[in-house]
Every structure is written in structure tokens, then in C-alpha cells.
Amino acid sequence: MTTFLYDAEYFPAAPVLEISLGKPGAQASMGPLIAIVDTGADTTIIPMEQLIHSNAQKVEQAATLRSQWGERRVVSLYAVAIGIGPYQFPAVQVVGDERGNELVIGRNVLNRLRLLLDGPAGLTEILEKI
């Protein structure tokens, strides 16, 4: 089991994971970086600056991304290796964010983990990789 403390910089405190990034197919070694756990997000969003430094590969131009406020915009998809604790995901498609600076781990990664969000204890626990 791998455990991460909620980030108290947010109010209320937010569940986060420490992740590392890397070139697709390689060991994810850039990090640790703090990523917000967002079970409502379809996909993982990573700022362009981190994608460039991790040698992510552009996969395609997606049609649109809709934010939680209903805003729609054209985005690019990238392939990147993601490491979370002892678990490695060698090629994950993510959205490159040209505007923001927060990493968001969405369901395209979260659905591969058995995850426990323990709000009262302020802990995110990864029980195992599926």
C-alpha cells in the first residue's frame, strides 16, 4: 500500500498523489510532482511545461475539451510515462494544458488503481494496481 497526505494548501484539503513523468515507454523519472486526484475528470491533464521536460510525444489534436465551467477548447493529446509510487504506466494519453499549472490525475489513470480516499484521515491510499 502507498499512502499520500491530502494537500492542505487547498480548502478544503484535496486528495493528491506524488507522480513522476517520463518519455513514453521509458521509466518515469521526472518528479516528484504533486497531482490533484479528480475522480470527475475523464482524463489526466498535465501542463505543457512538464510535458516538454518529460519528452512526451504529441499523439493528436483532439476535438474539444470541456471544463467544469462548460468552456470548450481545442486541445492536443500527448503520450507520457507516469509513475505513481511503485506503479509505472509506460504510455498514457494525457491532455497538454497550455493555460494552467496544475496536474490533474483523471479516471484514465485512476481506473487502473485500487484507490481509497480517506477524507477524515486526510489520506489517499493506493491499495494495488489493477
Side-chain angles (χ1 to χ4, degrees), residues 50-68:
Q50 272 109 9
L51 289 175
I52 291 167
H53 290 304
S54 67
N55 295 316
Q57 295 176 348
K58 188 172 184 177
V59 177
E60 65 180 275
Q61 189 90 6
T64 58
L65 172 77
R66 185 174 53 90
S67 75
Q68 63 272 33

Side-chain angles (χ1 to χ4, degrees), residues 14-33:
V16 296
L17 299 172
E18 280 188 6
I19 70 166
S20 54
L21 301 174
K23 184 177 179 177
Q27 181 82 6
S29 60
M30 186 185 108
L33 303 165

Side-chain angles (χ1 to χ4, degrees), residues 7-14:
D7 189 340
E9 295 286 319
Y10 295 92
F11 182 79

Side-chain angles (χ1 to χ4, degrees), residues 1-13:
M1 178 171 55
T2 307
T3 304
F4 302 93
L5 293 174
Y6 274 31
D7 189 340
E9 295 286 319
Y10 295 92
F11 182 79

